Amino acid sequence: GGIITQTPKFLIGQEGQKLTLKCQQNFNHDTMYWYRQDSGKGLRLIYYSITENDLQKGDLSEGYDASREKKSSFSLTVTSAQKNEMAVFLCASSWDWGDSYEQYFGPGTRLTVL
Amino acid sequence: AQSVTQPDARVTVSEGASLQLRCKYSYSATPYLFWYVQYPRQGLQLLLKYYSGDPVVQGVNGFEAEFSKSNSSFHLRKASVHWSDSAVYFCAVKNNAGAKLTFGGGTRLTVRP
């Protein structure tokens, strides 16, 4: 088995601040994802990456940057935090071949912007 | 583009009762379908998946789901729920490009003791 680790668990920022969230996986998966989950809502894809140094925009990429420095890690940057913003950011990973398409999720980073 | 609809945002049932959570999808080809569960303050965990074959698939903790191509549905069922099943349940369909998934809005299940 493997695990996905997200740091930090809780992130409190100020309006306009640049904030970085990190994700590590030891599944040796090819593809990694960042989702945003707002309270009581579904998941919206921000960015994904199919291999090291690759980046693909999701449905919600505006206001975010991402970086896939190596196969096991995927970072997300909130470029300018919005006041009163509250959301959970979920990282996931998966194979991208054969019949193994299920995504494995980390526990999330909870963002609060004051 | 594919989409997933979970028409019931909240469902409340009594412990021991049967359960059905509904999921409708829109996709042109034969889909790959998933049900995930999210317990409080945790990430999503896979309950079950359907790729092909028998339309009834078994998952963890007594859950099963039935794929219906004619109804474009993938409903989740459990014969007898436990209070620990209280969680948010998400239905998802695989995008035709790689492993990207499209998620429904989720159904929050509350099981009354």
Side-chain angles (χ1 to χ4, degrees), chain B:
Chain B
Q2 69 280 3
S3 65
V4 179
T5 301
Q6 295 180 246
D8 305 307
R10 294 176 181 271
V11 170
T12 300
V13 297
S14 297
E15 193 167 27
S18 63
L19 171 72
Q20 176 172 279
L21 301 183
R22 295 183 292 163
C23 173
K24 299 273 284 185
Y25 66 89
S26 170
Y27 191 66
S28 57
T30 300
Y32 285 46
L33 294 158
F34 305 84
W35 275 100
Y36 283 86
V37 60
Q38 185 179 34
Y39 297 103
R41 295 180 182 78
Q42 294 185 27
L44 277 66
Q45 300 171 31
L46 182 70
L47 272 180
L48 47 77
K49 61 189 179 188
Y50 172 80
Y51 290 164
S52 65
D54 189 334
V56 179
V57 290
Q58 305 296 320
V60 298
N61 296 334
F63 284 94
E64 67 175 27
E66 183 166 6
F67 166 67
S68 171
K69 188 171 184 177
S70 59
N71 293 324
S72 298
S73 67
F74 189 55
H75 300 330
L76 182 70
R77 303 188 297 235
K78 187 170 184 178
S80 176
V81 295
H82 187 264
W83 64 267
S84 60
D85 293 324
S86 295
V88 182
Y89 292 79
F90 291 96
C91 182
V93 62
K94 186 183 90 68
N95 188 293
N96 58 2
K100 203 166 75 162
L101 300 181
T102 297
F103 286 85
T107 297
R108 181 175 297 276
L109 173 66
T110 301
V111 179
R112 291 190 301 246

Side-chain angles (χ1 to χ4, degrees), chain A residues 33 35 37 40-43 45 48 57 90 94-96 98-108 110, chain B residues 32 34 36 38 40-46 49 51 88 90 94 97-101 103-106 108:
Chain A
Y33 311 81
Y35 292 93
Q37 183 178 25
K41 296 185 180 176
L43 280 67
L45 183 64
Y48 67 104
K57 290 184 178 181
L90 293 170
S94 71
W95 294 115
D96 195 18
D99 270 344
S100 299
Y101 293 113
E102 63 259 37
Q103 294 183 14
Y104 294 80
F105 284 81
R110 292 182 173 273
Chain B
Y32 285 46
F34 305 84
Y36 283 86
Q38 185 179 34
R41 295 180 182 78
Q42 294 185 27
L44 277 66
Q45 300 171 31
L46 182 70
K49 61 189 179 188
Y51 290 164
V88 182
F90 291 96
K94 186 183 90 68
K100 203 166 75 162
L101 300 181
F103 286 85
R108 181 175 297 276

Side-chain angles (χ1 to χ4, degrees), chain A residues 52-75:
Chain A
E52 185 178 330
N53 294 319
D54 174 74
L55 282 179
Q56 308 282 339
K57 290 184 178 181
D59 302 320
L60 197 67
S61 60
E62 189 170 337
Y64 302 95
D65 286 329
S67 175
R68 182 93 180 267
E69 306 88 359
K70 50 186 179 180
K71 188 175 183 179
S72 62
S73 67
F74 194 29
S75 300

Side-chain angles (χ1 to χ4, degrees), chain A residues 2-51:
Chain A
I3 191 168
I4 295 180
T5 304
Q6 291 187 238
T7 54
K9 284 187 168 54
F10 299 94
L11 183 56
I12 300 175
Q14 301 292 328
E15 184 180 19
Q17 193 175 2
K18 180 185 285 189
L19 303 167
T20 298
L21 294 68
K22 294 186 182 295
C23 176
Q24 296 264 354
Q25 55 96 1
N26 64 359
F27 289 98
N28 200 32
H29 283 158
D30 301 306
T31 307
M32 296 186 74
Y33 311 81
W34 277 107
Y35 292 93
R36 175 181 168 124
Q37 183 178 25
D38 292 279
S39 180
K41 296 185 180 176
L43 280 67
R44 290 183 288 175
L45 183 64
I46 305 172
Y47 270 99
Y48 67 104
S49 167
I50 62 175
T51 189

